[in-house]
Amino acid sequence: MAYKKWIIAQADKELASELSEKLNINPFISFLLIARGIDNELAMSKFLSNTVELSDPYLLKDMDRAVARIEDAIEYGEKITVFGDYDCDGVTSTALLVSFLSDMGADVDYYIPSRMSEGYGLNKPAIKQLAENGTQLIVTVDNGISAIEEAEYIYSLGMQLVVTDHHQLSEALPMAEAVVNPHRPDNDLEFHDLCGVGVAFKLACALYGDSEDMLWRYADLVALGTVADVVPLLDENRAIVKFGLRLINQNSRVAISALRRAAGIDDKTITSSEIAFQLSPRINAMGRVADAADAVRLLLSEDYNEIEALAQSLNDNNTLRQQLEMQILADARAQLAADASLAAGRVIVICGRDYHQGAIGIVASKLLEEYSKPVIVLSSDGEIARGSARSIDGFNIHEAIAACADILVQFGGHPKAAGLTVSADRVDEFRKMINSYAAEAYPVMPEPVIEIDAKLSPFYLSLELAKELSELEPYGECNKRAVFALSGLNITDVIPMGNGAHIRIECEKKGKKIRLVKFKTTADEFPFTIGDTIDAAVKIGVNPFNGREYLSVQAIDIRPHGLDDDNYFAEREALQLFNAGISSDKSVYPDYDDCTYIYKTIRFLGGKAVSLDDLYFKLDGITYGQLHYALSAFEEAGLLEINNEKITLCQTQGKVDLMNTNTMKILKGRLCIE
């Protein structure tokens, strides 16, 4: 396994103590907030407050024009169509605005485009259909800001347009009666990070004239969409989500209660985690494998039987989505196992036959987690391959794909996520091109990082501390669950869980017993054994079971105790620079004695497959580059196999002249070593 760089946050302990006294809060909570940049009394008080302070919706540019045009449409009986999107943010935006406009007496319906046949946002066939159906005003939610041509088409058919969106602006704004977007530079807002349903909520507040009443009516929908869209859970977003969670738990609308029952969490207290991992995936699943309009119907319906049926449909389609993902993920992993070159590049590009388009983005995200490098998953129908890309921090995947524009049919996206279409017969060419670009533009790839909130002694781990941390909820973007570093834990046992899919690690330090859970890691994959000393990055929480509460300690990263971050990552960087031809650092060269030592160590491990990084920490005095080239020479000589970053010994007969392999010859030639 490749190890991640731990970055430990810093905070002023004296200031933390001072603010904790002033605000009467736990000093540790104050310390964590200061480390996250919330470092004064006003900001900390506002962050922890349960009150909701909403900004004036008219601080959004064009809000007055949007209100005036919609009020005219209601007064004159014009047909309004709310044009939404197929993800959870778009679905909740659509449901909120349709519900509100219906209550206002508007003649309103909605349209959700198909992910599979139409793609994202306004499109001309849909616009034509709306015109034929008598729509006179289209109001977009969660889309429309870049629909320049489509807006002109709307007006050419005699309709008008109001845009509400939160995506980044293009060079020009679309033709419209109003364009409401928190990222417009001419807004008067202090907080700009609303999502689509947040903007729709602001429009409802402006139309109604009372934000507090709207909060009681719609904060639950805003909470669903805001958490799902991974916008910063700060300022207004945090306040509304906090309020919305109270509504969901105390007086939930019938549709959300039904969805909770279908998900099997009707007896749980709903937090942002339940929204992110239980509720919103079921809403998103409809847009991925079925019809997202049914998710809107669920949220709008007042018929109990229909609500129950639709909630079950969302649940069933989520199960289907999971099955499709598992099938695609298994096929992608098989490809990676069969062809080591696929995982060796800076950018992993996988292409499969008839992968479901609604699942490939999530598969790309899962592979990104496993390999800590950019991943593109393509689905081919034999002629065209369409795909989704996900990237690590510091690697702009949109720019990388754009560098291959000459051989692409189309592409678009953002620095960390993008989509593309390429001819199926040019996938291999695209893979080579994007990796060539990455090698040139990123001679040193960004290292995967884990942000640590604080170092913590295992003696301070307690159920009470886990409960205190609930002050930081709701968790989400820019307000992640706290991560703590535990140091010097001695492993006393490793126990499989969940039919072997996960493990429980029993540890001890100076008499203190600690139980860690590591999900999605099997006992065979775990590189440590009983007696090893480790450091662990963990999240803690409260685990209710049989009427009692227990401390839960989840390990998100484990590494050898005392790992020297600076040296480890410096050696990895030195190897990348050497491979890129930028340096001639002789520290990457393993001599005969080095190779002998490395090979004996591998044999000592009993033939158990290990990764390069795991092996590195079992060797003394060997650089990362020396190990890399020694393993390459061993593989060339047939002494071992390296498959999917795993090393396995081979059966050999006779002696091998390791120094006469091409690997060592080329290396010595580059370094002028005889």
Side-chain angles (χ1 to χ4, degrees):
M1 58 187 292
Y3 291 94
K4 297 178 174 64
K5 191 168 189 174
W6 289 12
I7 298 179
I8 299 175
Q10 302 298 316
D12 185 330
K13 293 182 180 179
E14 290 185 7
L15 179 60
S17 178
E18 176 187 331
L19 291 176
S20 72
E21 288 184 13
K22 287 184 176 180
L23 297 172
N24 192 29
I25 60 173
N26 187 310
F28 194 58
I29 299 296
S30 178
F31 178 88
L32 294 177
L33 290 175
I34 290 171
R36 297 179 179 203
I38 302 170
D39 56 4
N40 62 72
E41 185 177 355
L42 179 61
M44 197 173 289
S45 177
K46 185 176 180 180
F47 183 89
L48 297 172
S49 173
N50 287 322
T51 61
V52 182
E53 296 180 11
L54 298 177
S55 63
D56 184 345
Y58 285 97
L59 294 176
L60 284 156
K61 183 69 175 178
D62 274 8
M63 183 62 83
D64 55 342
R65 297 179 58 175
V67 168
R69 182 62 189 89
I70 293 171
E71 285 180 338
D72 283 348
I74 295 172
E75 182 178 353
Y76 294 111
E78 296 177 279
K79 184 175 181 180
I80 303 171
T81 296
V82 176
F83 198 105
D85 185 32
Y86 40 68
D87 69 2
C88 186
D89 187 19
V91 165
T92 51
S93 303
T94 304
L96 186 155
L97 197 55
V98 170
S99 171
F100 173 77
L101 292 176
S102 295
D103 289 348
M104 293 286 287
D107 177 7
V108 60
D109 64 4
Y110 60 91
Y111 187 93
I112 305 290
S114 164
R115 178 194 290 266
M116 302 297 294
S117 61
E118 296 173 86
Y120 170 76
L122 290 165
N123 62 86
K124 291 182 178 179
I127 293 167
K128 183 180 180 182
Q129 179 183 328
L130 294 181
E132 291 171 351
N133 291 343
T135 294
Q136 292 162 282
L137 176 65
I138 296 175
V139 181
T140 70
V141 288
D142 196 31
N143 73 97
I145 196 65
S146 60
I148 307 300
E149 290 185 15
E150 291 82 2
E152 292 177 355
Y153 185 60
I154 286 170
Y155 280 85
S156 74
L157 295 179
M159 295 183 290
Q160 292 186 329
L161 174 67
V162 168
V163 171
T164 77
D165 198 357
H166 73 113
H167 294 97
Q168 295 296 320
L169 277 64
S170 304
E171 292 183 4
L173 296 178
M175 178 188 298
E177 303 307 294
V179 177
V180 181
N181 187 309
H183 295 294
R184 285 187 62 163
D186 46 359
N187 287 319
D188 292 324
L189 291 174
E190 290 186 10
F191 183 73
H192 302 270
D193 290 316
L194 299 171
C195 63
V197 72
V199 179
F201 174 72
K202 287 288 188 182
L203 175 58
C205 291
L207 281 161
Y208 189 71
D210 186 339
S211 295
E212 184 175 350
D213 195 14
M214 291 294 96
L215 197 65
W216 283 97
R217 289 169 66 180
Y218 296 119
D220 53 352
L221 295 181
V222 182
L224 285 177
T226 300
V227 172
D229 216 52
V230 202
V231 291
L233 276 194
L234 302 172
D235 206 278
E236 285 195 45
N237 286 344
R238 175 177 170 81
I240 296 173
V241 168
K242 221 173 184 181
F243 193 92
L245 286 168
R246 282 164 50 196
L247 289 184
I248 290 172
N249 284 299
Q250 296 172 10
N251 189 26
S252 183
R253 68 179 63 219
V254 178
I256 295 177
S257 293
L259 191 56
R260 288 174 62 178
R261 283 193 296 277
I265 56 171
D266 54 319
D267 59 344
K268 288 190 67 175
T269 297
I270 303 301
T271 69
S272 56
S273 294
E274 279 70 39
I275 290 179
F277 299 110
Q278 298 288 342
L279 299 180
S280 68
R282 285 165 168 77
I283 295 173
N284 279 325
M286 298 303 288
R288 293 185 181 279
V289 300
D291 185 355
D294 283 348
V296 179
R297 281 176 56 210
L298 167 68
L299 296 176
L300 290 175
S301 180
E302 296 179 356
D303 182 299
Y304 179 82
N305 291 330
E306 181 183 45
I307 287 172
E308 289 296 320
L310 287 169
Q312 189 57 51
S313 175
L314 264 65
N315 194 65
D316 293 343
N317 278 290
N318 187 56
T319 301
L320 173 60
R321 185 266 306 170
Q322 291 172 326
Q323 292 170 347
L324 291 169
E325 285 169 18
M326 290 174 63
Q327 292 168 6
I328 296 170
L329 187 59
D331 188 76
R333 285 172 174 159
Q335 288 189 50
L336 289 162
D339 185 352
S341 67
L342 292 176
R346 278 169 159 72
V347 180
I348 294 175
V349 179
I350 293 289
C351 185
R353 181 76 184 203
D354 295 328
Y355 286 170
H356 196 286
Q357 286 293 323
I360 57 176
I362 299 176
V363 172
S365 295
K366 290 183 182 295
L367 292 174
L368 171 70
E369 292 176 15
E370 293 179 18
Y371 288 89
S372 296
K373 59 175 65 177
V375 176
I376 299 172
V377 178
L378 297 163
S379 174
S380 170
D381 63 5
E383 296 183 3
I384 291 293
R386 296 180 176 86
S388 292
R390 299 292 185 270
S391 191
I392 55 176
D393 287 329
F395 186 100
N396 190 319
I397 193 67
H398 181 258
E399 287 184 357
I401 292 172
C404 309
D406 289 348
I407 67 168
L408 299 178
V409 177
Q410 63 182 31
F411 68 93
H414 307 286
K416 292 184 69 174
L420 68 148
T421 304
V422 61
S423 295
D425 59 1
R426 305 193 79 170
V427 169
D428 289 340
E429 183 183 358
F430 168 70
R431 182 183 292 111
K432 292 175 183 176
M433 184 178 289
I434 197 167
N435 273 288
S436 294
Y437 165 84
E440 183 176 344
Y442 296 87
V444 176
M445 286 289 284
E447 296 288 358
V449 166
I450 289 184
E451 295 181 347
I452 306 288
D453 285 270
K455 294 180 180 178
L456 191 65
S457 167
F459 291 89
Y460 286 100
L461 284 177
S462 67
L463 183 61
E464 290 70 27
L465 175 60
K467 289 181 177 180
E468 290 277 1
L469 290 173
S470 65
E471 288 287 330
L472 300 177
E473 294 185 12
Y475 297 120
E477 185 69 11
C478 297
N479 184 43
K480 305 288 188 182
R481 282 182 63 192
V483 177
F484 303 113
L486 306 179
S487 176
L489 307 180
N490 184 56
I491 298 176
T492 59
D493 204 356
V494 178
I495 303 166
M497 296 171 50
N499 295 321
H502 320 293
I503 54 174
R504 188 173 78 236
I505 309 156
E506 302 286 349
C507 301
E508 181 270 340
K509 182 176 182 179
K510 295 181 180 179
K512 170 73 172 180
K513 296 184 184 300
I514 306 103
R515 174 176 292 173
L516 310 178
V517 174
K518 185 75 169 68
F519 293 114
K520 299 179 183 178
T521 300
T522 67
D524 287 339
E525 292 168 341
F526 190 56
F528 304 100
T529 59
I530 295 172
D532 285 347
T533 304
I534 58 171
D535 297 339
V538 304
K539 296 177 180 179
I540 69 173
V542 179
N543 182 25
F545 183 72
N546 283 344
R548 296 184 61 185
E549 294 178 328
Y550 299 88
L551 175 68
S552 165
V553 185
Q554 177 190 346
I556 61 170
D557 195 41
I558 296 176
R559 61 187 195 173
H561 174 55
L563 184 151
D564 185 339
D565 265 18
D566 291 339
N567 186 65
Y568 171 66
F569 289 107
E571 289 187 6
R572 284 171 58 96
E573 181 175 323
L575 175 61
Q576 291 187 64
L577 291 172
F578 183 83
N579 288 340
I582 295 173
S583 80
S584 299
D585 188 346
K586 291 188 178 182
S587 70
V588 303
Y589 174 72
D591 61 22
Y592 181 83
D593 290 339
D594 294 329
C595 290
T596 301
Y597 169 47
I598 293 168
Y599 187 69
K600 285 182 176 179
T601 301
I602 297 172
R603 291 188 61 184
F604 177 76
L605 293 172
K608 181 181 178 181
V610 294
S611 73
L612 184 154
D613 288 76
D614 296 330
L615 180 58
Y616 169 80
F617 290 105
K618 299 181 184 297
L619 299 164
D620 292 325
I622 299 296
T623 70
Y624 198 88
Q626 287 173 325
L627 178 58
H628 169 81
Y629 279 108
L631 292 175
S632 296
F634 293 158
E635 186 174 34
E636 183 185 340
L639 295 171
L640 52 76
E641 291 180 350
I642 303 175
N643 190 5
N644 206 13
E645 298 189 352
K646 294 292 183 180
I647 305 160
T648 309
L649 282 173
C650 298
Q651 296 293 329
T652 58
Q653 295 180 346
K655 291 187 176 180
V656 173
D657 185 0
L658 200 65
M659 293 297 147
N660 201 37
T661 58
N662 286 332
T663 297
M664 298 305 289
K665 285 180 179 178
I666 293 170
L667 186 59
K668 287 191 286 186
R670 279 192 60 185
L671 295 173
C672 300
I673 295 173
E674 296 186 2

